[in-house]
Amino acid sequence: MCIIVDANRLGVFLREPPDEDMQPVHNWLNKGGKLIYSTGGRFAKEIRGNQRQRLEDYYTAGKARLIPEAKVNETLRHVQKKLLKSDDEHVIALALVAQVDLLCTDDRNLMQDFKNKQIMGRQGQIYTKSSHKRLLRPDRCP
């Protein structure tokens, strides 16, 4: 079971104590869910301050999986050729490489791209608040 947390929600996700809407995601991670992330390219610019250390702590605890920058960049070239509404081709590339179909974001354009089967090859789903905890299933991560 895997999820990608977009940079626009990462600060809220990493807040201590956990934000009310992110608490179900934290509970899910404690039960075996995985946070998928990458630290190269545009991700490096978007991850601020102690966020990188917190992601590394999740990785060390077995709650996160780091996707190598080279793999994301390889797919990024193909994604950039698609007609995206968002400017988040790196998030789409990460999802495609990691085969993740669950995204936590507030970016409306990215939501449209992530749900677009022509871009993703499957129907992506969006987690934005605690009422979406039904999306946090054990079969979410390959």
Side-chain angles (χ1 to χ4, degrees):
M1 38 187 159
C2 296
I3 190 169
I4 295 171
V5 178
D6 187 20
N8 71 8
R9 296 294 289 164
L10 196 58
V12 173
F13 173 76
L14 294 174
R15 194 176 293 160
E16 283 294 332
D19 176 84
E20 179 182 327
D21 284 325
M22 294 297 119
Q23 186 63 57
V25 179
H26 287 275
N27 295 344
W28 179 69
L29 291 173
N30 288 331
K31 294 177 183 173
K34 295 270 191 266
L35 174 66
I36 302 299
Y37 73 104
S38 185
T39 56
R42 186 153 168 213
F43 292 107
K45 295 174 189 166
E46 292 182 342
I47 299 172
R48 298 181 192 98
N50 71 345
Q51 292 177 342
R52 182 179 297 271
Q53 181 59 51
R54 295 286 310 279
L55 289 172
E56 289 175 13
D57 292 345
Y58 277 96
Y59 177 81
T60 301
K63 297 177 183 180
R65 194 168 94 206
L66 174 64
I67 304 299
E69 177 182 7
K71 286 187 176 187
V72 175
N73 288 342
E74 196 175 294
T75 301
L76 187 58
R77 286 187 279 278
H78 300 291
V79 171
Q80 289 170 330
K81 295 176 185 173
K82 298 178 185 271
L83 295 175
L84 301 179
K85 293 185 181 293
S86 73
D87 63 352
D88 291 301
E89 60 275 348
H90 59 292
V91 175
I92 300 295
L94 176 62
L96 291 170
V97 168
Q99 299 177 11
V100 173
D101 66 353
L102 183 59
L103 173 67
C104 178
T105 188
D106 278 340
D107 182 327
R108 296 284 177 209
N109 289 332
L110 179 55
M111 288 178 187
Q112 288 180 4
D113 290 341
F114 201 79
K115 290 179 173 183
N116 186 331
K117 288 182 183 179
Q118 292 179 338
I119 294 170
M120 295 295 294
R122 61 193 174 284
Q123 178 73 44
Q125 295 189 314
I126 308 296
Y127 180 100
T128 58
K129 55 189 174 185
S130 60
S131 64
H132 295 155
K133 66 183 177 184
R134 65 180 161 38
L135 298 174
L136 302 168
R137 299 188 323 253
D139 64 342
R140 280 272 179 222
C141 197

